[in-house]
PDB file of all heavy atoms in Angstrom:
ATOM      1  N   ASP A 117       3.426   8.080  27.917  1.00 98.00           N
ATOM      2  CA  ASP A 117       4.830   7.586  27.978  1.00 98.00           C
ATOM      3  C   ASP A 117       4.933   6.221  28.619  1.00 98.00           C
ATOM      4  O   ASP A 117       3.909   5.939  29.429  1.00 98.00           O
ATOM      5  CB  ASP A 117       5.752   8.617  28.750  1.00 98.00           C
ATOM      6  CG  ASP A 117       5.501   8.612  30.113  1.00 98.00           C
ATOM      7  OD1 ASP A 117       6.098   7.720  30.863  1.00 98.00           O
ATOM      8  OD2 ASP A 117       4.867   9.493  30.576  1.00 98.00           O
ATOM      9  N   PRO A 120       4.656   5.105  33.486  1.00 98.00           N
ATOM     10  CA  PRO A 120       4.275   6.540  32.997  1.00 98.00           C
ATOM     11  C   PRO A 120       4.493   7.569  33.971  1.00 98.00           C
ATOM     12  O   PRO A 120       4.493   7.255  35.154  1.00 98.00           O
ATOM     13  CB  PRO A 120       2.821   6.253  32.682  1.00 98.00           C
ATOM     14  CG  PRO A 120       2.315   5.224  33.716  1.00 98.00           C
ATOM     15  CD  PRO A 120       3.561   4.476  34.113  1.00 98.00           C
ATOM     16  N   CYS A 121       4.559   8.839  33.630  1.00 98.00           N
ATOM     17  CA  CYS A 121       4.464   9.884  34.505  1.00 98.00           C
ATOM     18  C   CYS A 121       3.046  10.027  35.165  1.00 98.00           C
ATOM     19  O   CYS A 121       2.042   9.457  34.715  1.00 98.00           O
ATOM     20  CB  CYS A 121       4.941  11.231  33.749  1.00 98.00           C
ATOM     21  SG  CYS A 121       3.468  11.955  32.792  1.00 98.00           S
ATOM     22  N   CYS A 124       0.357  10.893  32.538  1.00 98.00           N
ATOM     23  CA  CYS A 124       0.114   9.855  31.487  1.00 98.00           C
ATOM     24  C   CYS A 124      -0.546   8.692  32.190  1.00 98.00           C
ATOM     25  O   CYS A 124      -1.321   7.925  31.630  1.00 98.00           O
ATOM     26  CB  CYS A 124       1.392   9.390  30.807  1.00 98.00           C
ATOM     27  SG  CYS A 124       1.960  10.625  29.676  1.00 98.00           S
ATOM     28  N   CYS A 132       2.048  15.454  29.675  1.00 98.00           N
ATOM     29  CA  CYS A 132       3.124  14.624  29.994  1.00 98.00           C
ATOM     30  C   CYS A 132       4.263  15.378  30.642  1.00 98.00           C
ATOM     31  O   CYS A 132       4.669  16.399  30.094  1.00 98.00           O
ATOM     32  CB  CYS A 132       3.653  13.852  28.711  1.00 98.00           C
ATOM     33  SG  CYS A 132       4.882  12.711  29.126  1.00 98.00           S
ATOM     34  N   ARG A 133       4.972  14.787  31.622  1.00 98.00           N
ATOM     35  CA  ARG A 133       5.900  15.527  32.321  1.00 98.00           C
ATOM     36  C   ARG A 133       7.321  15.126  31.987  1.00 98.00           C
ATOM     37  O   ARG A 133       8.341  15.777  32.465  1.00 98.00           O
ATOM     38  CB  ARG A 133       5.701  15.414  33.879  1.00 98.00           C
ATOM     39  CG  ARG A 133       4.446  16.111  34.274  1.00 98.00           C
ATOM     40  CD  ARG A 133       3.995  15.839  35.705  1.00 98.00           C
ATOM     41  NE  ARG A 133       5.042  16.374  36.663  1.00 98.00           N
ATOM     42  CZ  ARG A 133       4.920  16.465  38.006  1.00 98.00           C
ATOM     43  NH1 ARG A 133       3.653  16.057  38.446  1.00 98.00           N
ATOM     44  NH2 ARG A 133       5.729  16.904  38.723  1.00 98.00           N
ATOM     45  N   ASN A 134       7.575  13.869  31.414  1.00 98.00           N
ATOM     46  CA  ASN A 134       8.882  13.337  31.182  1.00 98.00           C
ATOM     47  C   ASN A 134       9.323  13.463  29.654  1.00 98.00           C
ATOM     48  O   ASN A 134      10.435  13.158  29.292  1.00 98.00           O
ATOM     49  CB  ASN A 134       9.110  12.064  31.708  1.00 98.00           C
ATOM     50  CG  ASN A 134       8.241  11.005  31.037  1.00 98.00           C
ATOM     51  OD1 ASN A 134       7.775  11.201  29.953  1.00 98.00           O
ATOM     52  ND2 ASN A 134       7.996   9.898  31.784  1.00 98.00           N
TER      53      ASN A 134
HETATM   54 ZN1  LIG B  17       4.022  11.291  30.617  1.00 64.30          ZN
END
Side-chain angles (χ1 to χ4, degrees):
D117 80 76
C121 76
C124 287
C132 182
R133 292 170 64 170
N134 64 24

